[in-house]
Amino acid sequence: MPHSSFRTEVRDAVTPRATLLIVGVIALQLLFIASYVGALHDPKPKDVPFGVVAPQAAAGQAVTRLERLPGSPLDPRALPDEATARSQLTHRDIDAALIIDPRGGTDTLLVASGSGRILSTTLTTLVTDLEKSERRTVRTVDVIPSAPHDPNGLSSFYLVIGWCVGGYLGAAALAISAGAKPSNPSRAAIRLAVMALVALTGGLGGALIAGPALDALPGSTAALWGLGTLIIFAVGAATLALQGLFGTIGIGLVILLVVILGNPSAGGALPPPLLPPFWKAIGPALPPGAGTWSTRSIAYFDDNAMTTSLLVLAAWAVAGTAITLAAAAARKRANATQIP
């Protein structure tokens, strides 16, 4: 083949738009690696909310000693009694508590593996080493254990990932499927309505699979259904919104936010106290993090401490809906001004 013909074939096959998309794919690939490896490669506890129960003088000394640990792994606070410690564990105000027995040589560590077994294991190891240095022993009690079929407390995380995937793939299919026309206000409203049906169906399916079918998660199936519906619709509406603003690139932005940044910061593979500061900070504001926290609350913590996460998901849903409709209306006005 002549060189000129070959160059023409290359130019026709790799258009400037295709080149930009390939560059974007490479960038997303590298960001994926950097985000996941950066978040998960070196887990260390940092400022873990931690209760201390002991007589007043001993409690103050223990809190001071724990506050001065190298690297600040714990954020200790004195609690009046074991009942308060158990209540705060249930309400997710603390992640563990040490019950000090000044009359004996054995203390009791309360943990909650329902929030992630790796966190309870890390805290058990840390406290056991501390107690050994004081020539004391510790007995660990799992106050809120993970379910028998969810030994590592990861089912909630995987369930939320599935719901998020359903959200952005469903929206992408509506927006860019063969024959789909550019969105106008009526089409945008229809796509949002279809997305709501997808969310209802996917939310119910996920709740039934993780709950009654596989017995992986305890908790109310109805509550999980409602949460799954909200997660799917929030991610789907955000996808439609970004696609409406930026076209196909908008779907890449959703992958950046939900998959590349959202999944490693969600607190699934590593609970939030074990994440580096950046991922720990952004996780609660993204759908995977808000969803994982809420799913664990439903499954293990009597629906406690969910308000903030539900508001985050609702904000994504409302903002996505509003931007989708506004972008469609703006496109309609722009097209109208171009008509002679």
Side-chain angles (χ1 to χ4, degrees), residues 51-101:
V52 177
V53 177
Q56 188 170 4
Q61 293 173 0
V63 167
T64 300
R65 178 164 55 95
L66 295 175
E67 285 176 336
R68 293 175 178 174
L69 289 175
S72 299
L74 303 178
D75 177 19
R77 70 284 311 266
L79 300 177
D81 49 45
E82 182 175 341
T84 301
R86 288 175 175 267
S87 175
Q88 291 203 8
L89 277 168
T90 302
H91 287 82
R92 309 194 76 176
D93 295 323
I94 58 174
D95 289 310
L98 182 63
I99 315 299
I100 297 174
D101 180 7

Side-chain angles (χ1 to χ4, degrees), residues 165-189:
V165 168
Y168 64 74
L169 288 184
L174 288 171
I176 64 174
S177 60
K181 296 182 178 180
S183 184
N184 58 28
S186 61
R187 291 191 197 111

